Amino acid sequence: MSQFEVARFSTIPEGELAVALLRRHGIEAFLPDRDVATINPDLLIAIGGVRVVAPDRQIVSAGDHRPRSQGRVHRSDG
């Protein structure tokens, strides 16, 4: 199953809020970088922030509900 990046945030709490919003709308969103960011918060800068991803089959709906201040949707196989 392919996953797409819905948004990217500079902190874990921001990413978790976005995930909660998306899940409230029935989208199976999650933070794939949460563990890395939790172990070493300084790595957030190196990895470009906390990514919020959703399954490819839900990406259109996720894009409709993502925060308006976030960037484009990116594909992330994995």
Side-chain angles (χ1 to χ4, degrees):
M1 169 178 61
S2 293
Q3 302 163 354
F4 287 86
E5 182 176 302
V6 177
R8 193 176 284 251
F9 296 91
S10 58
T11 66
I12 294 171
E14 289 174 317
E16 288 175 338
L17 285 172
V19 167
L21 172 73
L22 292 169
R23 287 184 178 173
R24 183 172 182 158
H25 290 284
I27 297 161
E28 300 167 20
F30 65 98
L31 303 175
D33 304 321
R34 188 180 195 291
D35 294 338
V36 171
T38 302
I39 292 169
N40 189 345
D42 294 333
L43 287 177
L44 280 176
I45 296 168
I47 64 175
V50 178
R51 295 177 300 140
V52 175
V53 299
D56 56 353
R57 68 183 184 282
Q58 296 180 320
I59 198 62
V60 172
S61 295
D64 291 342
H65 297 292
R66 76 172 186 240
R68 297 291 178 225
S69 63
Q70 296 304 309
R72 302 174 311 181
V73 176
H74 301 282
R75 183 174 182 174
S76 173
D77 292 327

